[in-house]
Amino acid sequence: MADNQLTTTQSKLSTEKADIQELEAYPKTDLSWADKPDDDDETSAPGILGYFLKKNPSPTFIGDVARMNTYDLDPVVIKRLEKKVDLLIIPALAVCYMFYYVDKTTLSYAAIFGIKDDLNLAKSEYSWLSSIFYFGWLAWALPTNFLMQKFPLNKYLAFNIFMWGVLLMAQAASRNFTDLAVLRVLSGAFEATADPAFVLITSTWYTRPQQPTRIGYWYLANGFGIALGGLFGYGIGQINGALASWKYEFLIVGALCSAWSIFLFIFIPDSPYRTHWFTRKERLMIVSRKRNDQNLTDNREWKWDQVVEAFIDPKIYLFFLFGFTANVPNGGTSNFGTLIVKGFGFDTLQTTLMQIPYGMIISLIILLAIYVNTKLPKGNRTWLMAFTNVPTVIGFAMIAWCKSKGARLAGYWMTGASNATFVLGLSLVSGNVGGQTKKAIASAAVFLGVAAGNIVGPFLFKDDEAPGYFTGVIGCMVSRALEIVVILIFRFIFVRANRRRDRAVAEGKVSYDANLTGLEDISDWKNPAFRYIAVSRLCRHSLVSICSSCSF
């Protein structure tokens, strides 16, 4: 016992000594020059429109960032700032994503609460209502990415979320297929902003190594959203009011969504350049700590040379295929999942409750994937993405061919593993594309694929095959297998490009100043300092940081 206490004491003393040495290694630096007035830190477009458009960082601010880049930042101060950023940004994005998923699954719950009968929907009309949402998304995916470049990011996101809620509440007044279809198209257009905005906000505030973990943490709300949707569904199913249960589903979720958007609009900043949550010196340090990212944080300008480059870059088309293959199954399960589970032999309320463990399993798998990502040797993120997709393939096979209720339900829950794959995949967009315009197009490509997949998915589920939907389940399984192929092609491209660039530097064919290229809005192709991320260990610090600062 005494030996154990002595060992513990020695360990604590060693830790304290290491902390002291770390502080001594970063002596206090005079940064008083950074705390000057911030009136000139942003530049606006001329005229009244400039008041509403996104403001670019001014040359003065960029110059001070470059000056800050010449200093070694105190890791203790940076860790404190990152905790503050985590508490400001991550919970807000998590709540947004939770509503985002709950919004998309309201039709699925409405289906088991009788909307098909109440609106006299024909056999194929429910599938059309599932898919038509993504026609709006598909039509608006590119324009909304363009507008995100032009307007303050958080304000633009908050406006779109407000409209999600308004249109969701309006769906409660639908009298027939036509009413609901029109509202679903409009809802899809406004929700096309969500994923690209979440990824762009993450890349604005966090370094490339930190982004996979941060994306993972707000994406955890996907699982919580599924679980919460199950609780909402069960609670709403108990309401014996004047309206049909599915109408209460639309009204309650829509009202909560719009209320949240108002909070988001008021309290969450648009960028690190100008926000009352941080002093000017802190804002400079937040941007400066991203000095190795080789990507300017934010810019209003739309660069046509990056547009051309995006359309000839194979990665952009792979991003589309990644989004497509990942979301053919999502289009099926998000709209037919409750019907599939009900077909296992559960009643309506039991079916809503079965979504709660499904959502929690998704959250646990994402957490596990993030943890494993921090422990794997260098260069294995894409391997991990492929591996996390394997249980999903197996799960769909179990739904298709197993006979017992328990085995089929277990297979359904296993299909949630693919959410971890998508989390890691989103970090490929935020971390492996340079240039703000090109990154916006890459993001649009992913979510154009998401929309196309969600359009196709529901039509694989044929009414005459209910409740087993064999064709739909097999289609989902095949799509997930193809997603693994796309991931492995990504790996080949990233590894080969990095080796080619490293070889050019080693042979003296290329030279650059990383401190200067990191402040320029240039693409990954034109930036000689840019390296594609396939590194797992880089995420370790960010996991420790967020775990120590967030308790949700």
Side-chain angles (χ1 to χ4, degrees):
M1 179 68 72
D3 289 342
N4 289 339
Q5 291 177 342
L6 178 62
T7 301
T8 302
T9 302
Q10 290 175 338
S11 176
K12 289 181 178 179
L13 289 173
S14 298
T15 302
E16 292 173 0
K17 183 178 179 180
D19 290 341
I20 293 171
Q21 289 175 340
E22 183 179 44
L23 288 171
E24 291 176 346
Y26 290 86
K28 297 296 182 182
T29 303
D30 182 13
L31 297 176
S32 57
W33 57 268
D35 275 329
K36 60 187 179 184
D38 58 5
D39 296 337
D40 298 325
D41 283 349
E42 295 178 316
T43 59
S44 303
I48 297 177
L49 188 60
Y51 179 79
F52 298 98
L53 291 175
K54 179 186 291 185
K55 296 173 175 60
N56 284 340
S58 68
T60 300
F61 188 87
I62 294 297
D64 284 346
V65 171
R67 182 177 178 182
M68 187 68 76
N69 286 351
T70 64
Y71 292 87
D72 289 329
L73 301 178
D74 186 337
V76 175
V77 175
I78 294 300
K79 187 174 182 179
R80 176 178 58 81
L81 286 176
E82 289 179 343
K83 285 182 179 180
K84 191 173 178 180
V85 172
D86 285 337
L87 291 172
L88 183 66
I89 301 298
I90 299 300
L93 288 181
V95 174
C96 289
Y97 209 80
M98 181 180 66
F99 277 118
Y100 173 58
Y101 197 85
V102 171
D103 282 1
K104 290 197 299 183
T105 55
T106 49
L107 184 64
S108 178
Y109 287 103
I112 61 174
F113 285 137
I115 193 173
K116 286 184 175 183
D117 294 332
D118 289 354
L119 298 188
N120 297 313
L121 298 180
K123 282 189 175 181
S124 63
E125 285 181 340
Y126 180 76
S127 292
W128 271 109
L129 287 173
S130 303
S131 293
I132 207 167
F133 175 94
Y134 290 96
F135 280 100
W137 177 313
L138 195 63
W140 197 240
L142 277 174
T144 200
N145 274 272
F146 175 78
L147 292 173
M148 276 191 282
Q149 290 289 103
K150 293 295 184 181
F151 290 98
L153 182 55
N154 179 68
K155 302 295 188 296
Y156 182 69
L157 175 62
F159 168 75
N160 280 270
I161 292 175
F162 182 83
M163 293 306 299
W164 301 354
V166 169
L167 291 167
L168 201 62
M169 288 186 285
Q171 290 177 47
S174 298
R175 298 160 299 176
N176 50 45
F177 169 80
T178 303
D179 289 351
L180 195 54
V182 171
L183 292 169
R184 293 277 294 170
V185 170
L186 293 173
S187 293
F190 282 105
E191 293 203 19
T193 304
D195 273 315
F198 299 157
V199 173
L200 190 55
I201 290 171
T202 306
S203 65
T204 297
W205 288 93
Y206 293 103
T207 66
R208 290 170 74 197
Q210 292 173 330
Q211 288 166 24
T213 301
R214 266 49 176 200
I215 290 173
Y217 271 88
W218 56 252
Y219 202 95
L220 283 172
N222 185 16
F224 292 124
I226 293 172
L228 186 63
L231 285 173
F232 271 148
Y234 184 80
I236 289 169
Q238 308 296 321
I239 298 175
N240 295 316
L243 301 176
S245 294
W246 60 268
K247 291 179 181 284
Y248 287 114
E249 181 85 20
F250 287 130
L251 290 170
I252 293 172
V253 175
L256 290 172
C257 188
S258 291
W260 165 251
S261 72
I262 297 171
F263 176 90
L264 187 71
F265 187 94
I266 295 172
F267 292 104
I268 307 302
D270 295 297
S271 77
Y273 302 126
R274 191 82 178 268
T275 168
H276 67 275
W277 293 106
F278 300 95
T279 67
R280 188 176 189 275
K281 179 174 68 177
E282 289 174 336
R283 297 199 300 271
L284 287 170
M285 296 177 77
I286 288 171
V287 178
S288 180
R289 88 194 204 285
K290 291 166 59 67
R291 64 186 67 170
N292 295 323
D293 284 8
Q294 295 300 312
N295 202 356
L296 190 70
T297 305
D298 201 9
N299 197 292
R300 181 179 65 242
E301 185 179 356
W302 187 261
K303 296 191 173 182
W304 290 104
D305 62 322
Q306 292 186 19
V307 174
V308 173
E309 182 180 309
F311 280 96
I312 62 175
D313 188 341
K315 295 196 304 293
I316 304 303
Y317 298 95
L318 284 172
F319 282 132
F320 172 84
L321 290 175
F322 175 70
F324 179 79
T325 54
N327 282 274
V328 168
N330 183 69
T333 56
S334 64
N335 293 288
F336 286 85
T338 54
L339 297 175
I340 291 172
V341 173
K342 191 173 183 179
F344 295 163
F346 297 104
D347 64 29
T348 298
L349 294 181
Q350 288 173 338
T351 298
T352 63
L353 291 177
M354 290 302 104
Q355 302 305 305
I356 298 174
Y358 179 52
M360 300 313 298
I361 287 169
I362 287 173
S363 297
L364 290 174
I365 290 173
I366 292 173
L367 277 173
L368 180 62
I370 294 172
Y371 176 78
V372 172
N373 192 51
T374 66
K375 299 298 182 181
L376 285 175
K378 178 180 177 179
N380 286 282
R381 187 184 302 173
T382 42
W383 288 128
L384 180 59
M385 288 172 62
F387 179 77
T388 54
N389 228 7
V390 172
T392 304
V393 176
I394 296 173
F396 280 118
M398 291 172 65
I399 295 173
W401 289 299
C402 288
K403 301 301 182 183
S404 71
K405 177 194 295 188
R408 298 179 74 194
L409 182 62
Y412 175 73
W413 287 342
M414 286 173 63
T415 63
S418 58
N419 286 270
T421 309
F422 201 66
V423 167
L424 297 170
L426 289 178
S427 71
L428 297 185
V429 182
S430 63
N432 280 346
V433 180
Q436 287 296 297
T437 301
K438 186 177 180 183
K439 183 177 289 187
I441 294 173
S443 181
V446 172
F447 297 109
L448 282 170
V450 168
N454 277 285
I455 288 171
V456 171
F459 287 104
L460 298 177
F461 289 75
K462 302 177 180 180
D463 282 345
D464 57 6
E465 293 182 350
Y469 297 107
F470 183 79
T471 301
V473 172
I474 295 301
C476 292
M477 182 184 71
V478 171
S479 187
R480 287 298 183 194
L482 292 174
E483 183 184 355
I484 295 174
V485 175
V486 173
I487 291 167
L488 297 180
I489 296 173
F490 265 129
R491 178 177 179 81
F492 173 77
I493 289 176
F494 293 150
V495 171
R496 189 180 67 166
N498 283 347
R499 287 175 179 171
R500 184 175 63 249
R501 294 181 180 213
D502 291 341
R503 186 167 57 249
V505 172
E507 294 173 354
K509 296 179 180 178
V510 175
S511 61
Y512 54 84
D513 185 343
N515 288 327
L516 295 179
T517 56
L519 294 173
E520 299 175 11
D521 184 17
I522 54 179
S523 71
D524 50 292
W525 275 16
K526 294 180 179 178
N527 186 349
F530 195 97
R531 295 295 182 273
Y532 297 103
I533 290 184
V535 178
S536 298
R537 285 181 176 173
L538 288 175
C539 304
R540 181 173 299 169
H541 171 72
S542 58
L543 177 68
V544 173
S545 174
I546 198 167
C547 284
S548 64
S549 62
C550 297
S551 59
F552 61 92

